[in-house]
Amino acid sequence: MTDKSSALLHTLPAPRLLGRWMSLAMVVGTMIGSGVYLLPTTLAPFGPNMLVAFAFTIGGTMCLALALALLAARIPGGPFAYVEQAFGETTAFVTLWSYAVSQWTGVAAIAIAVAGALSYIVPALGHGVGLITVALISIAALLAINLRGVRSAGRLQVAATLIKIVPLLAVVLLVTGRFATATPVEPLAAVPLTLTGIATAGALMLFSLTGFEAAAVVATVTDDSETNVPMATLVGTTLTGAIYLTATVATLMLLSSARASNSGAPFADAIAPILGQAAGAVVAAIAAVSAFGTANALLMLAAEVSRTLARADDLPRLFRRTNARGAPSGALIVSALIAALLVLASSSDSFVPVYIFITLVSTVSALVLYLVCAAAALKLGVGGRWTALMIVAVAYAVVMFIGAGWEPTLWGFGLAAAGLPIRWLSRRFNRATSRRSR
């Protein structure tokens, strides 16, 4: 590890560090969020392509997770340290900056999803002023929680993770009951199986599976990170992938593809005809809590990443500031403001198309981190007997760029490149400030 990487390691008093279960909850809680609750909506038009894409995406994600777990076990300091050691400071900056962009866009998308879930109960919240208001209130509440410190955000993450699994298990049990009583289930959409359909469905899934890197990103505020981070990454990814596959397919067996593709709360729509509107409303509320918990994790990740970059003088020193509780107040406030501006900029009368586009841009921005970290694992030789899977991880990340489509990919690359002039200006300003303070 370089001297700069060592300087970037963040040490907090032991009681404020994330423990083993909080680290695992960061992975599971970040992955299981608005993404899974809207997967039936985004994947319904793809029919059988969805099943192949699930196998492809879960397998590829596991390879990426393995690369991060192997790096975390060998190199302390999180992704900045991994990439810097393999490819140098500039690549580390672009990679982490792109990841910060993915978290900002992710917070915006998931804040919108909170409103989408609640629109099942109050339809006016699914569009226009109602949608924007709920999204902005969600961001403000998350900022207040995170400003109380990493342990406060960690406790919310554990609670939200336990709550959000309930409706996922409910749809699986309802479908199991239908099979047991020989009751017919809904068929998947009758569309042909194509490589384009598989790749596009896979890219949409990947947004829902992003978050497996969460434990590695907050390794600097995790107790015994060399042990807890690899465990949380691999166990969390495996568990979440299995839950996603069964819950999404079960929902589409209860809800027609035509209806699912236009639903803002597909799990609630699937359960309500069987258990009643009250049950549907409860599921919609849980979906909103789930999205809120995921946005909590993304805001924490965005703040930690931008604070790391600020410590390297690659962002303004505002991002380094902490409050009395040790929370990165400067980075949190700026991250929340950016997410709020993205919500305002993406206002639309149609919830689903806006959500899909923002999630694809967020996915592309996160893919930069995944691709570079997998390549770093290869270059640094941490793969050992798993080297072949590191090659698969690199190839999978490249295919996902293609699956996301040219427009989101260009947006993602453009936002990544935009970080370079910001870095140049930040370094000049920070140096000038240092000279004046001497």
Side-chain angles (χ1 to χ4, degrees), residues 38-64:
L38 288 170
L39 271 182
T41 297
T42 58
L43 297 180
F46 293 94
N49 292 281
M50 172 192 69
L51 299 177
V52 180
F54 254 120
F56 175 70
T57 306
I58 291 174
T61 302
M62 285 299 300
C63 291
L64 291 171

Side-chain angles (χ1 to χ4, degrees), residues 265-310:
F267 281 80
D269 285 335
I271 289 174
I274 302 171
L275 299 181
Q277 287 299 121
V282 170
V283 170
I286 291 175
V289 171
S290 173
F292 189 79
T294 298
N296 170 67
L298 297 188
L299 184 60
M300 189 195 310
L301 294 174
E304 287 301 326
V305 168
S306 53
R307 176 165 61 169
T308 296
L309 294 176

Side-chain angles (χ1 to χ4, degrees), residues 16-398:
R16 294 186 178 181
L17 293 176
L18 296 174
R20 176 182 302 175
W21 296 110
M22 286 184 177
S23 184
L24 179 60
M26 280 297 298
V27 175
V28 177
T30 305
M31 294 177 75
I32 301 180
S34 65
V36 67
Y37 283 102
L38 288 170
L39 271 182
T41 297
T42 58
L43 297 180
F46 293 94
N49 292 281
M50 172 192 69
L51 299 177
V52 180
F54 254 120
F56 175 70
T57 306
I58 291 174
T61 302
M62 285 299 300
C63 291
L64 291 171
L66 178 62
L68 277 169
L70 291 170
L71 287 165
R74 297 279 191 91
I75 305 169
F80 190 99
Y82 315 155
V83 178
E84 183 193 19
Q85 188 166 324
F87 302 114
E89 287 182 18
T90 300
T91 303
F93 168 78
V94 172
T95 300
L96 269 292
W97 165 262
S98 182
Y99 185 74
V101 169
S102 79
Q103 303 313 296
W104 294 329
T105 53
V107 171
I110 295 173
I112 290 171
V114 171
L118 293 177
S119 69
Y120 180 89
I121 304 170
V122 183
L125 301 182
H127 56 85
V129 175
L131 184 148
I132 293 172
T133 301
V134 171
L136 294 178
I137 290 173
S138 298
I139 292 171
L142 290 167
L143 174 61
I145 291 168
N146 276 266
L147 286 173
R148 291 180 58 83
V150 67
R151 294 286 293 185
S152 176
R155 283 190 290 271
L156 170 61
Q157 203 60 25
V158 171
T161 299
L162 294 175
I163 292 170
K164 65 181 63 178
I165 294 174
V166 173
L168 307 184
L169 296 177
V171 291
V172 174
L173 291 174
L174 289 174
V175 168
T176 302
R178 284 201 172 188
F179 282 125
T181 57
T183 304
V185 296
E186 295 287 345
L188 297 178
V191 297
L193 196 66
T194 65
L195 289 176
T196 301
I198 293 168
T200 305
L204 288 168
M205 284 177 193
L206 185 58
F207 175 76
S208 302
L209 287 166
T210 56
F212 63 86
E213 76 287 349
V217 172
V218 294
T220 54
V221 290
T222 302
D223 186 34
D224 191 15
S225 61
E226 287 87 347
T227 300
N228 289 333
V229 169
M231 179 279 296
T233 301
L234 293 177
V235 173
T237 304
T238 303
L239 177 63
T240 305
I243 292 172
Y244 270 27
L245 174 59
T246 54
T248 301
V249 173
T251 302
L252 291 175
M253 286 181 174
L254 297 172
L255 195 64
S256 70
S257 295
R259 188 175 177 192
S261 62
N262 292 295
S263 173
F267 281 80
D269 285 335
I271 289 174
I274 302 171
L275 299 181
Q277 287 299 121
V282 170
V283 170
I286 291 175
V289 171
S290 173
F292 189 79
T294 298
N296 170 67
L298 297 188
L299 184 60
M300 189 195 310
L301 294 174
E304 287 301 326
V305 168
S306 53
R307 176 165 61 169
T308 296
L309 294 176
R311 286 193 177 123
D313 275 340
D314 290 337
L315 286 180
R317 293 184 177 181
L318 167 66
F319 287 87
R320 300 186 196 181
R321 292 182 184 174
T322 58
N323 60 18
R325 294 177 177 270
S329 54
L332 283 168
I333 292 170
V334 174
S335 296
L337 285 174
I338 292 172
L341 289 173
L342 287 170
V343 167
L344 293 170
S346 64
S347 60
S348 170
D349 289 334
S350 184
F351 157 68
V352 174
V354 172
Y355 176 83
I356 289 175
F357 181 75
I358 294 179
T359 57
L360 286 174
V361 173
S362 182
T363 299
V364 167
S365 297
L367 270 170
V368 175
L369 175 78
Y370 303 157
L371 175 61
V372 176
C373 283
L378 276 175
K379 183 173 181 181
L380 297 175
V382 302
R385 67 180 185 274
W386 306 109
T387 298
L389 294 181
M390 301 301 97
I391 296 173
V392 172
V394 171
Y396 168 72
V398 172

